[in-house]
């Protein structure tokens, strides 16, 4: 029997999700676990969880800016924010699921390229044209992707994925579940990996 | 010239502060850094920071309960919450500063014993009698300590320490500053230690 996969929940406007996107496949690979990528709309959880965008908090927001930059430097990742960050992440999240239904590996490459565009190059998550350019960079037809993300079915799909994530208690990004155990934050990848290596404690 | 110390800010009602209290002196010791312990009243920061007690948040609170227990098990620390947790931490925080002005090492031993009483044995931070028992366990005169924490001067002292922490941007527990660099959370001790080992990045 195959070992259960790692579920990787994230929002495309999450800098720590960006960090995790560059680390999680290697963690899975070292322990024989597939990784299922699951973007969701973290904005939908803020009201339920009584939280808000991290950077908006006094004190905590200033620290987070320092910590995100330091964490990215530690992992050799550039970090640039789009003007007016954060913006909507509907376009890349819908494009992801449309791609995932056709080719899961391609969808993951899209997600990584999207994160690099948003936080490496400082592009705007909310601009569908950027989603089209990311798709084109992977050899896809940008027009087809942009049409697909306007399809009511894909809108319903993303909403269902988001509702499902919230029902399962997910409130942040990145968030991982494996073997029923939840891990929140790029800084829980060490515990997640120990868990996989040891079978838990 | 002595290397600058690590400042360790914490609240006695913080489970992650309890974890850090058992780890931070070894981190400092490995890198020739003294550690200055600085309890403060995290409740005073909630309004300013727009935050609240971690366990009170929907979704996040449930995860935190799981994560705190898992993190304590990882470090071999028991974890028990007092009924009605969290309670006021005025008594141990005031006792700490009263002791620190007399013997910093004794004050640290008091803080460790207090954390073990609160999270190891599930005693109530808000009950001054518990503070007296912890002090007595260290060979101190419980009555003298209980009288000391009612001294207006020590009340002013704790308020000043708390105001100073907030002015310096501190909003959580544990929170560390070393060489001007801030680190929030027991889960940032790995970055803090890398920082000390490498001189930063």
């Amino acid at each position: 029997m195959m070992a259960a996969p790692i579920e990787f929940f994230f929002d495309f406007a999450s800098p720590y999700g960006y960090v995790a996107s560059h680390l999680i496949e290697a963690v899975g690979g070292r322990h024989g676990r597939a990784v299922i990528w699951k973007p969701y709309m973290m904005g939908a959880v803020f009201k339920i969880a009584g939280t808000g965008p991290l950077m908006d908090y006094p004190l905590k927001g200033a620290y987070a800016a320092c910590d995100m930059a330091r964490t990215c430097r530690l992992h050799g990742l550039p970090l640039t924010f789009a003007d007016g960050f954060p913006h909507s992440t509907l376009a890349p999240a819908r494009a992801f699921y449309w791609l995932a239904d056709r080719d899961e590996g391609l969808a993951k490459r899209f997600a990584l390229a999207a994160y690099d565009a948003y936080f490496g190059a400082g592009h705007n998550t909310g601009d569908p044209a950027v989603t089209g350019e990311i798709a084109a960079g992977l050899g896809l037809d940008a027009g087809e992707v942009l049409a697909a993300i306007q399809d009511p079915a894909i809108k319903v799909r993303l909403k269902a994925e988001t509702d499902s994530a919230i029902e399962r208690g997910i409130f942040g990004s990145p968030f991982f579940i494996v073997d029923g155990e939840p891990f929140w934050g790029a800084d829980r990848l060490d515990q997640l990996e120990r868990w996989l290596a040891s079978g838990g404690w």
Side-chain angles (χ1 to χ4, degrees), chain A residues 28 30-31 48 54 58 64 66 71 90 93 95 113 116-117 145 150 162 167 175-176 184 190 192-194 198 201:
Chain A
R30 284 192 287 275
H31 301 278
I48 295 164
L54 181 53
C66 166
T71 298
L90 283 171
D116 288 345
V145 173
Q150 293 304 325
T162 297
E167 273 166 32
F175 202 107
F176 310 94
W184 171 40
D190 59 341
L192 188 160
E193 186 150 15
R194 283 173 189 242
S198 68
W201 60 84

Side-chain angles (χ1 to χ4, degrees), chain A residues 52-58 61 85-86:
Chain A
L54 181 53
M55 311 288 274
D56 288 0
Y57 284 92
F85 172 89

Side-chain angles (χ1 to χ4, degrees), chain A residues 168-170 175-184 188 191-192:
Chain A
R168 294 176 67 193
I170 286 151
F175 202 107
F176 310 94
I177 298 181
V178 63
D179 296 341
E181 190 73 12
F183 298 88
W184 171 40
R188 278 296 175 278
Q191 285 198 16
L192 188 160

Side-chain angles (χ1 to χ4, degrees), chain A residues 4-199:
Chain A
I6 300 165
E7 292 177 280
F8 167 35
F9 298 87
F10 61 96
D11 185 292
F12 278 108
S14 161
Y16 296 114
Y18 161 60
V19 172
S21 75
H22 282 274
L23 303 173
I24 187 60
E25 288 287 342
V27 172
R30 284 192 287 275
H31 301 278
R33 302 294 187 121
V35 183
I36 302 178
W37 293 41
K38 297 195 165 181
Y40 78 108
M41 301 304 290
M42 208 165 71
V45 91
F46 287 151
K47 194 171 177 186
I48 295 164
T51 55
L54 181 53
M55 311 288 274
D56 288 0
Y57 284 92
L59 307 183
K60 193 190 250 189
Y63 171 79
C66 166
D67 184 68
M68 288 167 182
R70 183 174 63 209
T71 298
C72 283
R73 292 197 307 275
L74 178 62
H75 293 291
L77 295 169
L79 181 64
T80 309
F81 290 93
D83 286 343
F85 172 89
H87 300 281
S88 166
T89 57
L90 283 171
R94 288 177 184 161
F96 176 91
Y97 284 110
W98 184 77
L99 289 169
D101 287 343
R102 284 148 187 82
D103 180 338
E104 195 189 347
L106 179 62
K108 290 183 187 182
R109 290 197 297 282
F110 169 82
L112 265 177
Y115 260 141
D116 288 345
Y118 301 141
F119 292 111
H123 291 311
N124 184 334
T125 58
D127 182 357
V130 173
T131 293
E133 287 161 20
I134 295 161
L138 295 167
L140 296 159
D141 181 324
E144 188 183 6
V145 173
L146 291 180
I149 64 177
Q150 293 304 325
D151 185 324
I154 206 70
K155 296 182 181 182
V156 168
R157 170 70 180 284
L158 176 59
K159 185 169 186 316
E161 294 283 355
T162 297
D163 289 347
S164 169
I166 294 170
E167 273 166 32
R168 294 176 67 193
I170 286 151
F171 58 88
S173 168
F175 202 107
F176 310 94
I177 298 181
V178 63
D179 296 341
E181 190 73 12
F183 298 88
W184 171 40
D187 48 14
R188 278 296 175 278
L189 282 174
D190 59 341
Q191 285 198 16
L192 188 160
E193 186 150 15
R194 283 173 189 242
W195 196 267
L196 293 178
S198 68

